[in-house]
Amino acid sequence: MSVSLAVVENPEKPALAAQTAEVVVLKFGSSILRSPAEAPLVASAVYGHVRAGRKVVAVVSAFGGATDRLLAEARALGLSHSNDLLPGYVALGEEKSAALVAIACDRIGLDACALSVRELGIVAEGEPEHSRPSGLRADHLKQALDRHEVVVVPGFGAVKSDGKVALLGRGGSDLTAVFLAAELGLNKVRLVKDVDGLYDHDPNDHAAPALRYRRASWDVARKLGGALVQHDAIDLGESRGVEIEVAALDRADGTVIGERSAPPGPAPALPPLKVAVAGCGVVGGGVLGRLLADPRYDVVGVLVRNPNKVRDVACPQSLFTADADELLSRKPDIVLEALSEGEAGHALIRAALEAGCDVASANKQAVSRDPGGLQDLAKLKKKRVFWSASVGGGAPMVETVRAARAAGEVVGFEAVLNGTVNFMLERLGDGAAFSEALADARAAGFAEEDPSSDLEGLDAAAKVRLLAFEAFGVSPAVEDVPRDHLTEATDASGGVRQLGGAYLKDGAITPSVSLSADHGDPLFSNLRGEGNALKVYGADGRVWRCRGRGAGRWATTESIMADLAEIVRLRRADAGLN
C-alpha cells in the first residue's frame, strides 16, 4: 500500500503533464540504527518527506556492531583482508538493515522496496575493502524509483568489474549516499547522524564550549570531520558539486558542507519538549509508546477514562489522569489528542489552545465540528492546531488537498475514507458473513467495540466535512451529508466501495457518503484491506491522487507523529533555533 502525493496528466490537456516528484537522498548510519528496534525511527523520518510529496532514497548502514561481528566471523574461518570473498559477507550487514527498514516503512503504509548491493549496481574500482565508485548501473534504481515512493539501499558495498562485491572503506555509507545523489543529479545529500552537525572540537570534550558550524568548507570538514564524515565522501562531494548536510534525526538545523564556511557559534540547547497525550486506545497507545522511548520528549500526562485500566503500553501509573483540567495543569508544550469521542475531544483542543499549547489531533469527529473556529483560536493564541492524522490514517489526504488548492481552484474530490469499512467490504465480497467480517476488522485493530460510526457512515462524513473545509474553505453541516449504511443486507459484490466526496458548483457544495460499485477507477477498486485513497479535481483539469493505509495503529500513529515533528520544527523556527 503506497503513500503518495502526485499530480497526474489530464488526457484532454497534454500540457498538464504529471509532475516529477522531488527525490531526496538520506543516509542513516549505525549511530542511528543501533539495532532493529531503531528501524521505525528511520521509517518515521522517511515518512515526513514522502508526506511532503518527495521520493526518498534511504541509504543505510549495518546495525550497530554488525560489521565488526561479520568481520570476526569471517576471519575465524581464515578469511583475511586480502581475500576477495570477505566483502560479500560483510556487506550482508547493510543488506539486512535495508530489508528491515523497508519492512518498517511498509508497516506504516509507505510503498517501499529494498535493493541488494548487486541490484543497486554501484560499480567500484580499487582494493576489495577500500574501493572507489566509478559508475552506476542505473536501471534497477531508476525502475525502483519509478514504482515506489521509498527505495532503501545498502551503503558501504559496491560491485567490481569481475562481479564480486567490494567495500567502500570505513564510513563508506557516506560515500554511497553522496555518489547516488551525484548520479541522480542532485545538489545536496543529507547524512543523519547522532550529532547535530560539525563542531570546532569534540562536543564531549567539556574543556571549552564546543561551537557548531552552520556552514563548513570542504577543507574545514576534512580537517575537523574526523570520523563524522568519511573523507572520500567529502572529496567526492567537492568534485561532483554535491553539498553534504549533516544533522541529527528530525532536526532541520545542522551543518552544510560546501564551498564556503561561516564562523562557528554556540549550538542552541534543546531541552525535551513536554507532551501530553489524550487517549490511550489504538492510536493514543501507539503514540504514547513512541514518545516514552524518545528522549526528545517528556510525557507529562495521559488523559484516559479509567486510569486504573491495564494498558498494552508500559507507562508509569502516575502519568494517567481522568481530569482534563488536571492534565493541562501539568503545563504541556504540546497536546496530542486521540480521544474516541468528538465533543470531549473538541472541548479539550479548545482548552489546550486557550492554555497556550500547540495541538495535533487524530480525532476527526472533534476537529470537523468547527475547523475554522479552531484555526481562528490557534491564531489568536499564537499557537498551532494540526489534524492530518484525523483523515486517511497514514495517507496524506489533508496535504494532498492543500497542495491542490495552492495550485488553483478545487472543484471536487472523492475518496475511500474509512479503512474499517473498506476492509469489511473486501471480506464481504469474498463471501464472508457480516458478523465474521466485523469480527476480523476488530481482531485486526481497525474496528472499535462500537463500530456504528464506521458502519453508519458518520466517520466518513466527518472526514468529508473536514476535507471540504480544506478544499473550499467551508465545512458542510452534519445533516447536509447524506450517508449510506453498511448492514447485513448490503450487497458487497462487484467491488463495492464506500465513497465520500464533495463537489462545488455555482457556489454550492454537494457532499455525500455512498456505497457504490460504479466508481470507475482502479485507484479505488484495487484498494485492499484498510486502504484509503483520494482524488482531488482542479478547475483547470488537473487531478491529484494519494493512497495509503487508512486505519490501524502504526499508520495513524505515524501521521500524528509527523504532525508533532512539524510543530516542533515550527516552534524552533519561531525561537530562531533552526
Side-chain angles (χ1 to χ4, degrees):
M1 184 65 63
S2 70
V3 174
S4 61
L5 187 69
V7 182
V8 301
E9 184 177 354
N10 180 340
E12 296 180 359
K13 298 183 179 181
L16 298 173
Q19 295 181 354
T20 301
E22 177 189 358
V23 177
V24 296
V25 176
L26 311 173
K27 180 260 178 176
F28 302 91
S30 297
S31 62
I32 300 297
L33 285 166
R34 296 184 296 275
S35 73
E38 279 73 46
L41 294 179
V42 172
S44 182
V46 169
Y47 176 87
H49 287 275
V50 174
R51 191 170 88 156
R54 306 181 188 104
K55 292 198 172 191
V56 176
V57 176
V59 180
V60 297
S61 298
F63 294 115
T67 299
D68 289 337
R69 287 194 296 272
L70 290 166
L71 282 168
E73 289 167 0
R75 288 169 182 160
L77 294 176
L79 290 184
S80 66
H81 280 285
S82 59
N83 193 306
D84 57 10
L85 294 176
L86 182 67
Y89 184 63
V90 174
L92 293 175
E94 277 71 19
E95 292 187 343
K96 175 182 177 180
S97 61
L100 285 175
V101 167
I103 290 170
C105 288
D106 178 78
R107 182 177 74 160
I108 62 176
L110 292 171
D111 179 12
C113 72
L115 301 182
S116 67
V117 169
R118 294 184 186 280
E119 287 172 332
L120 177 58
I122 294 178
V123 181
E125 300 173 347
E127 295 299 318
E129 291 187 50
H130 202 146
S131 293
R132 301 289 186 276
S134 58
L136 176 66
R137 299 167 186 163
D139 286 352
H140 278 105
L141 181 59
K142 181 180 183 301
Q143 290 171 7
L145 279 171
D146 285 344
R147 296 171 182 169
H148 304 279
E149 273 75 40
V150 181
V151 182
V152 188
V153 303
F156 192 35
V159 181
K160 301 193 74 172
S161 58
D162 61 4
K164 292 181 179 177
V165 173
L167 302 178
L168 301 180
R170 282 291 186 171
S173 293
D174 290 348
L175 183 56
T176 302
V178 175
F179 180 72
L180 291 179
E183 291 294 307
L184 290 168
L186 308 180
N187 58 16
K188 65 181 178 181
V189 62
R190 189 171 184 85
L191 309 183
V192 183
K193 306 281 186 175
D194 62 347
V195 294
D196 59 351
L198 179 64
Y199 284 78
D200 64 347
H201 66 270
D202 186 348
N204 294 317
D205 179 2
H206 301 295
L211 302 179
R212 189 183 67 184
Y213 284 86
R214 183 176 56 83
R215 295 194 64 92
S217 69
W218 306 112
D219 287 339
V220 167
R222 276 187 282 263
K223 178 181 178 182
L224 297 175
L228 184 63
V229 182
Q230 190 203 47
H231 280 203
D232 291 346
I234 296 172
D235 293 343
L236 184 67
E238 182 176 20
S239 66
R240 297 290 296 269
V242 178
E243 289 190 329
I244 300 172
E245 299 177 344
V246 179
L249 196 66
D250 287 341
R251 286 285 297 270
D253 57 331
T255 300
V256 176
I257 300 172
E259 290 295 330
R260 58 186 177 86
S261 282
L270 297 175
L273 281 167
K274 294 187 291 183
V275 181
V277 179
C280 196
V282 172
V283 177
V287 169
L288 180 59
R290 288 282 300 277
L291 293 173
L292 290 171
D294 194 327
R296 295 171 298 174
Y297 302 109
D298 176 19
V299 179
V300 298
V302 185
L303 182 67
V304 292
R305 285 197 186 97
N306 180 5
N308 297 316
K309 180 180 177 181
V310 176
R311 310 285 170 182
D312 65 353
V313 56
C315 179
Q317 187 64 32
S318 61
L319 292 180
F320 291 107
T321 178
D323 187 334
D325 291 336
E326 202 274 328
L327 180 81
L328 296 178
S329 74
R330 301 182 186 185
K331 305 293 185 184
D333 299 306
I334 303 169
V335 173
L336 304 182
E337 190 270 322
L339 297 174
S340 60
E341 201 278 322
E343 184 176 352
H346 186 262
L348 178 63
I349 293 170
R350 292 193 63 89
L353 292 171
E354 290 280 4
C357 307
D358 291 308
V359 179
S361 174
N363 186 342
K364 83 288 295 183
Q365 299 291 354
V367 295
S368 66
R369 285 171 173 253
D370 182 21
L374 293 177
Q375 285 188 344
D376 289 344
L377 178 58
K379 184 177 180 180
L380 177 67
K381 297 296 180 179
K382 298 182 179 179
K383 293 298 169 184
R384 297 174 180 89
V385 56
F386 280 45
W387 51 58
S388 293
S390 65
V391 184
M397 292 192 173
V398 169
E399 288 76 17
T400 301
V401 175
R402 288 175 179 172
R405 192 176 182 188
E409 183 184 6
V410 171
V411 294
F413 64 86
E414 57 185 350
V416 170
L417 291 167
N418 187 283
T420 301
V421 170
N422 198 67
F423 179 90
M424 290 184 62
L425 284 170
E426 183 178 13
R427 294 286 289 118
L428 292 170
D430 290 339
F434 186 88
S435 59
E436 182 184 1
L438 179 56
D440 288 346
R442 285 186 174 129
F446 304 145
E448 301 287 346
E449 276 307 306
D450 178 4
S452 57
S453 179
D454 296 326
L455 303 183
E456 294 173 10
L458 289 167
D459 176 271
K463 294 171 182 176
V464 166
R465 296 175 61 233
L466 192 53
L467 289 178
F469 174 78
E470 297 288 355
F472 314 124
V474 178
S475 183
V478 177
E479 58 272 17
D480 291 336
V481 186
R483 296 174 282 110
D484 288 346
H485 293 202
L486 177 61
T487 69
E488 294 187 49
T490 299
D491 180 3
S493 61
V496 169
R497 293 290 182 263
Q498 183 198 63
L499 290 180
Y503 295 89
L504 178 67
K505 185 175 182 181
D506 298 328
I509 299 172
T510 306
S512 66
V513 174
S514 62
L515 293 169
S516 173
D518 187 25
H519 40 73
D521 194 325
L523 178 68
F524 300 134
S525 59
N526 291 341
L527 283 178
R528 294 293 175 262
E530 73 278 24
N532 278 194
L534 167 72
K535 291 172 67 176
V536 185
Y537 300 97
D540 60 5
R542 283 184 288 182
V543 181
W544 282 254
R545 301 168 183 253
C546 78
R547 59 177 182 167
R549 285 203 172 100
R553 165 167 285 185
W554 301 117
T556 311
T557 292
E558 204 54 60
S559 186
I560 200 168
M561 291 298 291
D563 275 353
L564 172 62
E566 181 65 9
I567 289 172
V568 171
R569 186 188 69 78
L570 293 170
R571 287 176 64 98
R572 289 174 178 166
D574 289 346
L577 299 180
N578 282 350

